[in-house]
Short mmCIF file of all heavy atoms in Angstrom, two decimals:
data_model
loop_
_atom_site.label_atom_id
_atom_site.label_comp_id
_atom_site.label_asym_id
_atom_site.label_seq_id
_atom_site.Cartn_x
_atom_site.Cartn_y
_atom_site.Cartn_z
N THR A 123 10.54 -14.45 10.85
CA THR A 123 9.77 -15.54 11.42
C THR A 123 9.01 -15.03 12.63
O THR A 123 9.58 -14.38 13.51
CB THR A 123 10.69 -16.70 11.86
OG1 THR A 123 11.38 -17.19 10.70
CG2 THR A 123 9.90 -17.83 12.48
N VAL A 124 7.72 -15.29 12.65
CA VAL A 124 6.88 -14.97 13.80
C VAL A 124 6.59 -16.28 14.51
O VAL A 124 6.16 -17.25 13.88
CB VAL A 124 5.56 -14.27 13.38
CG1 VAL A 124 4.65 -14.08 14.57
CG2 VAL A 124 5.87 -12.94 12.70
N LYS A 125 6.80 -16.29 15.81
CA LYS A 125 6.62 -17.50 16.61
C LYS A 125 5.49 -17.26 17.61
O LYS A 125 5.59 -16.40 18.46
CB LYS A 125 7.93 -17.81 17.34
CG LYS A 125 7.98 -19.10 18.07
CD LYS A 125 9.39 -19.26 18.66
CE LYS A 125 9.59 -20.56 19.34
NZ LYS A 125 10.95 -20.66 19.92
N LEU A 126 4.40 -18.02 17.44
CA LEU A 126 3.27 -17.93 18.36
C LEU A 126 3.21 -19.20 19.20
O LEU A 126 3.45 -20.29 18.69
CB LEU A 126 1.95 -17.77 17.60
CG LEU A 126 1.76 -16.52 16.76
CD1 LEU A 126 0.36 -16.52 16.13
CD2 LEU A 126 1.97 -15.26 17.58
N LEU A 127 2.88 -19.04 20.46
CA LEU A 127 2.74 -20.18 21.35
C LEU A 127 1.26 -20.42 21.62
O LEU A 127 0.54 -19.52 22.04
CB LEU A 127 3.45 -19.91 22.68
CG LEU A 127 3.26 -20.95 23.77
CD1 LEU A 127 3.85 -22.30 23.35
CD2 LEU A 127 3.89 -20.48 25.07
N PHE A 128 0.80 -21.63 21.35
CA PHE A 128 -0.58 -22.04 21.61
C PHE A 128 -0.61 -22.73 22.98
O PHE A 128 0.13 -23.68 23.21
CB PHE A 128 -1.05 -22.99 20.52
CG PHE A 128 -2.39 -23.62 20.79
CD1 PHE A 128 -3.53 -22.84 20.88
CD2 PHE A 128 -2.50 -24.99 20.95
CE1 PHE A 128 -4.77 -23.42 21.12
CE2 PHE A 128 -3.73 -25.58 21.19
CZ PHE A 128 -4.86 -24.79 21.29
N CYS A 129 -1.44 -22.22 23.89
CA CYS A 129 -1.56 -22.78 25.24
C CYS A 129 -3.00 -23.22 25.50
O CYS A 129 -3.86 -22.39 25.77
CB CYS A 129 -1.16 -21.74 26.28
SG CYS A 129 0.58 -21.38 26.29
N PRO A 130 -3.27 -24.52 25.42
CA PRO A 130 -4.63 -25.00 25.65
C PRO A 130 -4.91 -25.24 27.13
O PRO A 130 -4.02 -25.63 27.89
CB PRO A 130 -4.66 -26.31 24.87
CG PRO A 130 -3.26 -26.81 24.93
CD PRO A 130 -2.39 -25.58 24.93
N TYR A 131 -6.13 -24.99 27.51
CA TYR A 131 -6.67 -25.36 28.82
C TYR A 131 -5.80 -24.94 30.00
O TYR A 131 -5.60 -25.69 30.95
CB TYR A 131 -6.96 -26.86 28.86
CG TYR A 131 -7.80 -27.28 27.68
CD1 TYR A 131 -7.29 -28.09 26.68
CD2 TYR A 131 -9.10 -26.78 27.53
CE1 TYR A 131 -8.06 -28.42 25.58
CE2 TYR A 131 -9.87 -27.11 26.44
CZ TYR A 131 -9.35 -27.92 25.47
OH TYR A 131 -10.10 -28.24 24.39
N GLY A 132 -5.26 -23.72 29.94
CA GLY A 132 -4.49 -23.18 31.05
C GLY A 132 -3.17 -23.88 31.30
O GLY A 132 -2.60 -23.77 32.38
N ARG A 133 -2.64 -24.60 30.31
CA ARG A 133 -1.37 -25.32 30.50
C ARG A 133 -0.19 -24.36 30.66
O ARG A 133 0.84 -24.73 31.18
CB ARG A 133 -1.10 -26.25 29.32
CG ARG A 133 -2.15 -27.31 29.15
CD ARG A 133 -1.52 -28.68 29.01
NE ARG A 133 -2.45 -29.70 28.58
CZ ARG A 133 -3.27 -30.34 29.40
NH1 ARG A 133 -3.30 -30.04 30.65
NH2 ARG A 133 -4.07 -31.27 28.94
N CYS A 134 -0.34 -23.13 30.18
CA CYS A 134 0.68 -22.10 30.39
C CYS A 134 -0.01 -20.74 30.35
O CYS A 134 -1.11 -20.61 29.84
CB CYS A 134 1.79 -22.20 29.34
SG CYS A 134 1.23 -22.32 27.63
N HIS A 135 0.67 -19.75 30.91
CA HIS A 135 0.08 -18.42 31.01
C HIS A 135 0.92 -17.34 30.35
O HIS A 135 0.58 -16.17 30.41
CB HIS A 135 -0.19 -18.08 32.47
CG HIS A 135 -1.15 -19.03 33.09
ND1 HIS A 135 -0.75 -20.23 33.66
CD2 HIS A 135 -2.49 -19.02 33.18
CE1 HIS A 135 -1.81 -20.89 34.11
NE2 HIS A 135 -2.88 -20.16 33.82
N SER A 136 2.05 -17.75 29.76
CA SER A 136 2.88 -16.81 29.01
C SER A 136 3.90 -17.60 28.21
O SER A 136 4.16 -18.77 28.50
CB SER A 136 3.60 -15.84 29.95
OG SER A 136 4.65 -16.51 30.64
N ALA A 137 4.51 -16.94 27.24
CA ALA A 137 5.54 -17.59 26.45
C ALA A 137 6.79 -17.82 27.29
O ALA A 137 7.48 -18.81 27.13
CB ALA A 137 5.87 -16.75 25.22
N ASP A 138 7.08 -16.91 28.23
CA ASP A 138 8.25 -17.07 29.09
C ASP A 138 8.14 -18.29 29.98
O ASP A 138 9.13 -18.93 30.30
CB ASP A 138 8.44 -15.82 29.95
CG ASP A 138 8.77 -14.59 29.12
OD1 ASP A 138 9.31 -14.75 28.01
OD2 ASP A 138 8.47 -13.47 29.58
N GLU A 139 6.94 -18.63 30.39
CA GLU A 139 6.71 -19.76 31.29
C GLU A 139 7.18 -21.08 30.70
O GLU A 139 7.67 -21.94 31.41
CB GLU A 139 5.22 -19.84 31.62
CG GLU A 139 4.84 -20.93 32.58
CD GLU A 139 3.35 -20.94 32.84
OE1 GLU A 139 2.75 -19.86 32.95
OE2 GLU A 139 2.79 -22.04 32.90
N VAL A 140 7.04 -21.25 29.39
CA VAL A 140 7.41 -22.52 28.77
C VAL A 140 8.73 -22.44 28.00
O VAL A 140 9.12 -23.40 27.37
CB VAL A 140 6.30 -23.04 27.82
CG1 VAL A 140 5.05 -23.37 28.59
CG2 VAL A 140 6.04 -22.07 26.71
N ALA A 141 9.42 -21.31 28.08
CA ALA A 141 10.64 -21.12 27.31
C ALA A 141 11.71 -22.17 27.64
O ALA A 141 12.49 -22.57 26.79
CB ALA A 141 11.19 -19.72 27.52
N SER A 142 11.76 -22.62 28.89
CA SER A 142 12.80 -23.58 29.27
C SER A 142 12.39 -25.03 29.01
O SER A 142 13.20 -25.93 29.10
CB SER A 142 13.13 -23.41 30.76
OG SER A 142 11.98 -23.68 31.53
N LYS A 143 11.13 -25.26 28.70
CA LYS A 143 10.64 -26.61 28.43
C LYS A 143 10.69 -26.91 26.94
O LYS A 143 10.45 -26.02 26.13
CB LYS A 143 9.19 -26.76 28.91
CG LYS A 143 9.00 -26.49 30.38
CD LYS A 143 7.53 -26.54 30.71
CE LYS A 143 7.29 -26.11 32.14
NZ LYS A 143 5.86 -26.06 32.44
N PRO A 144 10.96 -28.13 26.54
CA PRO A 144 10.90 -28.44 25.10
C PRO A 144 9.45 -28.51 24.65
O PRO A 144 8.66 -29.28 25.16
CB PRO A 144 11.58 -29.81 25.00
CG PRO A 144 11.46 -30.40 26.36
CD PRO A 144 11.41 -29.25 27.34
N VAL A 145 9.10 -27.64 23.72
CA VAL A 145 7.76 -27.61 23.17
C VAL A 145 7.87 -27.84 21.67
O VAL A 145 8.63 -27.15 21.00
CB VAL A 145 7.07 -26.25 23.45
CG1 VAL A 145 5.69 -26.21 22.83
CG2 VAL A 145 6.98 -26.01 24.94
N PRO A 146 7.16 -28.81 21.12
CA PRO A 146 7.31 -29.10 19.69
C PRO A 146 6.75 -27.99 18.82
O PRO A 146 5.84 -27.28 19.23
CB PRO A 146 6.50 -30.38 19.51
CG PRO A 146 5.49 -30.33 20.61
CD PRO A 146 6.16 -29.63 21.76
N THR A 147 7.30 -27.86 17.64
CA THR A 147 6.74 -26.96 16.65
C THR A 147 5.50 -27.62 16.08
O THR A 147 5.54 -28.77 15.68
CB THR A 147 7.75 -26.70 15.51
OG1 THR A 147 8.90 -26.09 16.07
CG2 THR A 147 7.16 -25.81 14.45
N ALA A 148 4.39 -26.91 16.09
CA ALA A 148 3.14 -27.48 15.61
C ALA A 148 3.16 -27.58 14.09
O ALA A 148 3.66 -26.69 13.42
CB ALA A 148 1.98 -26.62 16.06
N THR A 149 2.61 -28.65 13.59
CA THR A 149 2.51 -28.81 12.14
C THR A 149 1.06 -28.94 11.71
O THR A 149 0.77 -28.95 10.54
CB THR A 149 3.28 -30.06 11.67
OG1 THR A 149 2.79 -31.19 12.36
CG2 THR A 149 4.77 -29.90 11.91
N GLY A 150 0.14 -29.05 12.64
CA GLY A 150 -1.27 -29.17 12.30
C GLY A 150 -2.02 -27.94 12.72
O GLY A 150 -1.47 -26.86 12.82
N THR A 151 -3.29 -28.12 12.99
CA THR A 151 -4.11 -27.04 13.49
C THR A 151 -4.29 -27.24 14.99
O THR A 151 -4.04 -28.32 15.50
CB THR A 151 -5.48 -27.01 12.80
OG1 THR A 151 -6.18 -28.20 13.17
CG2 THR A 151 -5.35 -26.93 11.30
N PRO A 152 -4.73 -26.22 15.72
CA PRO A 152 -4.93 -26.39 17.15
C PRO A 152 -5.84 -27.57 17.50
O PRO A 152 -5.66 -28.20 18.52
CB PRO A 152 -5.57 -25.07 17.58
CG PRO A 152 -5.06 -24.10 16.60
CD PRO A 152 -4.98 -24.86 15.29
N LYS A 153 -6.79 -27.89 16.64
CA LYS A 153 -7.68 -29.02 16.93
C LYS A 153 -6.93 -30.34 16.92
O LYS A 153 -7.30 -31.28 17.58
CB LYS A 153 -8.83 -29.05 15.93
CG LYS A 153 -9.76 -27.87 16.13
CD LYS A 153 -10.89 -27.88 15.15
CE LYS A 153 -11.61 -26.59 15.31
NZ LYS A 153 -12.88 -26.41 15.09
N ASP A 154 -5.83 -30.41 16.14
CA ASP A 154 -5.02 -31.62 16.10
C ASP A 154 -4.16 -31.77 17.35
O ASP A 154 -3.82 -32.87 17.74
CB ASP A 154 -4.10 -31.62 14.88
CG ASP A 154 -4.88 -31.70 13.58
OD1 ASP A 154 -6.02 -32.19 13.59
OD2 ASP A 154 -4.34 -31.25 12.56
N SER A 155 -3.78 -30.66 17.95
CA SER A 155 -2.87 -30.70 19.09
C SER A 155 -3.43 -29.89 20.25
O SER A 155 -2.72 -29.14 20.89
CB SER A 155 -1.50 -30.16 18.68
OG SER A 155 -1.63 -28.83 18.26
N ASP A 156 -4.72 -30.03 20.53
CA ASP A 156 -5.35 -29.17 21.53
C ASP A 156 -5.11 -29.60 22.97
O ASP A 156 -5.63 -28.97 23.88
CB ASP A 156 -6.84 -29.02 21.24
CG ASP A 156 -7.62 -30.30 21.42
OD1 ASP A 156 -7.00 -31.35 21.66
OD2 ASP A 156 -8.85 -30.25 21.31
N GLN A 157 -4.30 -30.62 23.20
CA GLN A 157 -4.02 -31.05 24.57
C GLN A 157 -2.68 -30.55 25.09
O GLN A 157 -2.45 -30.56 26.28
CB GLN A 157 -4.07 -32.59 24.66
CG GLN A 157 -5.41 -33.17 24.29
CD GLN A 157 -6.54 -32.65 25.17
OE1 GLN A 157 -6.43 -32.62 26.38
NE2 GLN A 157 -7.62 -32.20 24.55
N GLU A 158 -1.77 -30.17 24.21
CA GLU A 158 -0.43 -29.76 24.61
C GLU A 158 -0.08 -28.39 24.04
O GLU A 158 -0.53 -28.03 22.97
CB GLU A 158 0.60 -30.78 24.11
CG GLU A 158 0.43 -32.16 24.68
CD GLU A 158 0.60 -32.21 26.19
OE1 GLU A 158 1.43 -31.45 26.74
OE2 GLU A 158 -0.11 -33.00 26.84
N ALA A 159 0.76 -27.67 24.77
CA ALA A 159 1.26 -26.40 24.28
C ALA A 159 2.12 -26.67 23.05
O ALA A 159 2.80 -27.69 22.97
CB ALA A 159 2.07 -25.71 25.36
N ALA A 160 2.08 -25.75 22.09
CA ALA A 160 2.85 -25.94 20.86
C ALA A 160 3.18 -24.59 20.24
O ALA A 160 2.42 -23.64 20.36
CB ALA A 160 2.06 -26.78 19.87
#
Side-chain angles (χ1 to χ4, degrees):
T123 299
V124 174
K125 187 177 184 181
L126 296 183
L127 174 63
F128 172 64
C129 290
Y131 309 112
R133 299 230 192 278
C134 49
H135 298 87
S136 73
D138 295 334
E139 182 181 320
V140 296
S142 62
K143 301 175 187 176
V145 178
T147 298
T149 57
T151 66
K153 292 180 188 209
D154 294 336
S155 61
D156 67 354
Q157 300 301 312
E158 298 297 326

